Amino acid sequence: MKAALSQKRYLPSVTEARRRYAHGTHARYALGKCRCRACKDARTAYERKRHGGTYRRLWHMRYSPPIDKFVVRNSETGEILRRTRSRERARALVDRLNAEVSRELPRQLISAKEVVEHVAWLQTNVSAVKAENCIVNDVLVCILDYLGNLRGLRSAGDGPGMPIPIVGGPFGDVTLEIADAQELARLFSLGQSMLIDLSDLSPSDQQWLSADFFNELIRVLRRPAHVIVEEAESICPAFSRSKSQFASQGAATRFARQIRNYGVGWTFSTQQPQLLHPVVPASASAYIAMRSTGDQVQHAILKEIKTRVGAVIASAITSELGSLGTGDTWLITDPEWLRDDSAPSQRRIHIRKRSTHDSTAVPKIGEKAKPEPPRVTADVSRFEAVRRGTSTPNVTRKKKEAC
């Protein structure tokens, strides 16, 4: 009985349609995102009843008061397919068209095809999920972790731990020095996945190491791979205030622009997109915008995505960012990103929780710190040169320090 009532509320009479159009903007009405509670409840019940909430709504029906008809419109191109006075006929046509174009998302961003693309604006859980998927699909991956929050990849959570070597940090298998940057880039280009933990280094040392790592990576990496950068604004800031920041900023932006020529993808993760250099989001093929609050953060997201989906739809998406649930995201892509020109450029998706240990838990006052879980064994035989300290000296950095 409740489902029937909800469906009836979602299919309003002409009078009800006029009232809803009057209190919602065109963007909210066209996207089915009116802010009133009645519209949200009715839409949720209707989708769960008929489609389970997993389909893409490319075609929409809305009531047009000037012509007193229901209009069936394509949300991507703005094409009007039909105008009719019959609400039932319009609704049936929209359901049929959406059923034809509906398809399941690519396993919530875990296909091997996706990991060679370029993504901006994520959070730590999404970076961990992408790293897990790369390892499971035998994709070469390197993770630059500036806070040490991804060390949990080596420990089991809901699933098994990942046998990826950790370089540097308090839990590293191999010690890390600034002079090791070029050697690590060469090991990665030879097919060795790794997690580089820079949390023990000072900010300036992190930036010098990143500059040398990215410069060498552009020179030697010639195979499909994926590079994940956590806290990307630390090494690629919008404004550089020191020599080390200027060096890492130049190397990272050059990497983001040019490395795609060799089939290499990247993920730059940040919670402060307004602090990230604009070349990075401009070079990205896809954006994953998660729950964000703050006027500056949302304005930075709006500024970038409106060039992809238009100002009206971008405003509607940005207005939802503060109320997104855990794991809910907006995926905004280039038209060719999913190799399907007919697919919409924006969609709301849910990203699963990481299957490895969550090492980002914040300690609470009065509670004892939980011990680190056991880690799976990783092969570190290829890091012997770095462990013995026989890596090539970093001549580039010495010249910079002498300037």
Side-chain angles (χ1 to χ4, degrees), residues 9-260:
R9 289 169 61 188
Y10 183 79
L11 302 176
S13 63
V14 174
T15 303
E16 181 67 11
R18 287 174 177 170
R19 185 185 68 80
R20 292 187 182 180
Y21 184 86
H23 76 241
T25 65
H26 171 73
R28 295 172 194 155
Y29 191 88
L31 291 173
K33 299 296 182 182
C34 178
R35 288 183 175 180
C36 79
R37 177 57 58 185
C39 291
K40 289 183 178 180
D41 292 344
R43 178 181 173 81
T44 301
Y46 180 78
E47 288 185 354
R48 289 178 178 175
K49 177 68 177 178
R50 302 196 62 168
H51 301 279
T54 60
Y55 73 114
R56 297 206 317 266
R57 292 190 56 80
L58 181 62
W59 295 89
H60 297 274
M61 177 194 73
R62 69 177 181 86
Y63 176 74
S64 179
I67 61 176
D68 195 22
K69 290 183 179 180
F70 290 90
V71 178
V72 177
R73 182 189 297 271
N74 187 305
S75 61
E76 290 295 311
T77 64
E79 173 192 0
I80 296 178
L81 182 64
R82 183 171 299 177
R83 300 179 179 88
T84 177
R85 295 184 184 276
S86 172
R87 181 187 65 230
E88 289 76 13
R89 290 181 181 178
R91 182 74 266 167
L93 178 61
V94 168
D95 288 344
R96 179 173 61 83
L97 293 173
N98 284 328
E100 291 176 357
V101 302
S102 178
R103 67 189 67 180
E104 186 179 359
L105 288 173
R107 294 172 57 198
Q108 296 180 349
L109 304 179
I110 65 173
S111 66
K113 174 184 68 176
E114 187 269 339
V115 296
V116 298
E117 297 298 338
H118 313 87
V119 185
W121 300 344
L122 302 176
Q123 292 181 355
T124 303
N125 179 73
V126 185
S127 298
V129 171
K130 288 178 69 67
E132 293 170 358
N133 298 332
C134 288
I135 298 171
V136 170
N137 288 283
D138 295 326
V139 176
L140 185 62
V141 60
C142 178
I143 308 162
L144 295 178
D145 187 7
Y146 293 89
L147 295 180
N149 288 333
L150 290 176
R151 65 182 186 275
L153 288 171
R154 283 281 296 278
S155 303
D158 295 335
M162 302 294 167
I164 181 172
I166 300 177
V167 182
F171 304 95
D173 303 301
V174 182
T175 57
L176 177 65
E177 300 292 339
I178 304 177
D180 299 332
Q182 295 181 357
E183 184 68 25
L184 292 174
R186 296 189 193 103
L187 285 176
F188 181 56
S189 67
L190 294 175
Q192 176 63 60
S193 295
M194 65 185 76
L195 190 160
I196 304 177
D197 187 342
L198 299 95
S199 58
D200 282 351
L201 301 180
S202 64
S204 60
D205 287 343
Q206 291 178 350
Q207 291 152 8
W208 283 123
L209 187 146
S210 301
D212 293 327
F213 180 81
F214 283 122
N215 284 328
E216 184 68 11
L217 210 57
I218 296 173
R219 190 181 71 85
V220 299
L221 186 56
R222 296 295 184 269
R223 64 169 66 190
H226 198 78
V227 178
I228 300 175
V229 182
E230 274 284 293
E231 302 296 331
E233 76 280 359
S234 300
I235 56 109
C236 192
F239 303 98
S240 58
R241 296 177 174 83
S242 64
K243 291 182 178 180
S244 59
Q245 278 190 340
F246 185 78
S248 63
Q249 179 195 72
T253 53
R254 179 168 168 251
F255 174 83
R257 296 194 316 268
Q258 299 180 5
I259 201 64
R260 66 174 66 211

